[in-house]
């Protein structure tokens, strides 16, 4: 059924992290409802808004990294393409920044 999708370890961890974040956010929203606030993003956001923006951009970072891995290897004169873990780490850093300061 899932033969068409490439389930590598980084991809599985990425989706597991998303599922865990959604579960934690649901519990957090029930225990401590959010209030809108203004951060560095150009709009007033709630915790859920920042989660959505963070996940959306994290997905684009990972897709962009996959698409540009060959180019990055050429720019840096690497023998092999860089590991997908770099894209994952970059998206986690972005997500943490958005959730804390966004």
């Amino acid at each position: 059924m899932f033969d068409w999708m490439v389930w590598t370890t980084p991809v599985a961890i990425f989706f597991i992290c998303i599922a865990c974040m959604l579960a934690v956010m649901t519990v957090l929203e029930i225990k401590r409802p959010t209030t809108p606030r203004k951060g560095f993003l150009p709009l007033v956001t709630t915790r859920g808004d920042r989660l959505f923006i963070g996940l959306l951009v994290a997905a684009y970072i990972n897709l962009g990294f996959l698409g540009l891995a060959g180019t990055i290897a050429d720019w840096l004169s690497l023998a092999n393409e860089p590991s997908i873990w770099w894209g994952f780490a970059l998206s986690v850093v972005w997500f943490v920044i958005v959730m804390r300061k966004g």
Side-chain angles (χ1 to χ4, degrees):
M1 178 175 180
F2 292 111
D3 294 340
W4 59 272
M5 189 159 191
V6 180
W7 282 102
T8 61
T9 302
V11 172
I13 290 174
F14 183 73
F15 281 105
I16 289 169
C17 288
I18 290 172
C20 290
M21 282 187 284
L22 291 174
V24 168
M25 289 293 287
T26 300
V27 170
L28 195 58
E29 191 64 32
I30 291 169
K31 297 284 185 187
R32 290 182 18 202
T34 187
T35 56
R37 69 178 169 107
K38 177 82 169 95
F40 71 84
L41 296 171
L43 63 154
V44 176
T45 60
T46 64
R47 194 180 306 128
D49 296 334
R50 291 187 300 277
L51 175 72
F52 177 75
I53 292 168
L55 287 175
L56 188 65
V57 175
Y60 283 126
I61 288 171
N62 279 292
L63 288 173
F65 189 82
L66 284 174
L68 295 174
T71 306
I72 292 170
D74 290 342
W75 286 344
L76 300 176
S77 302
L78 301 174
N80 298 324
E81 291 183 354
S83 171
I84 193 171
W85 288 107
W86 289 105
F88 179 75
L90 184 61
S91 65
V92 168
V93 168
W94 162 256
F95 184 79
V96 169
I97 290 170
V98 167
M99 290 303 289
R100 302 291 263 160
K101 304 290 183 184

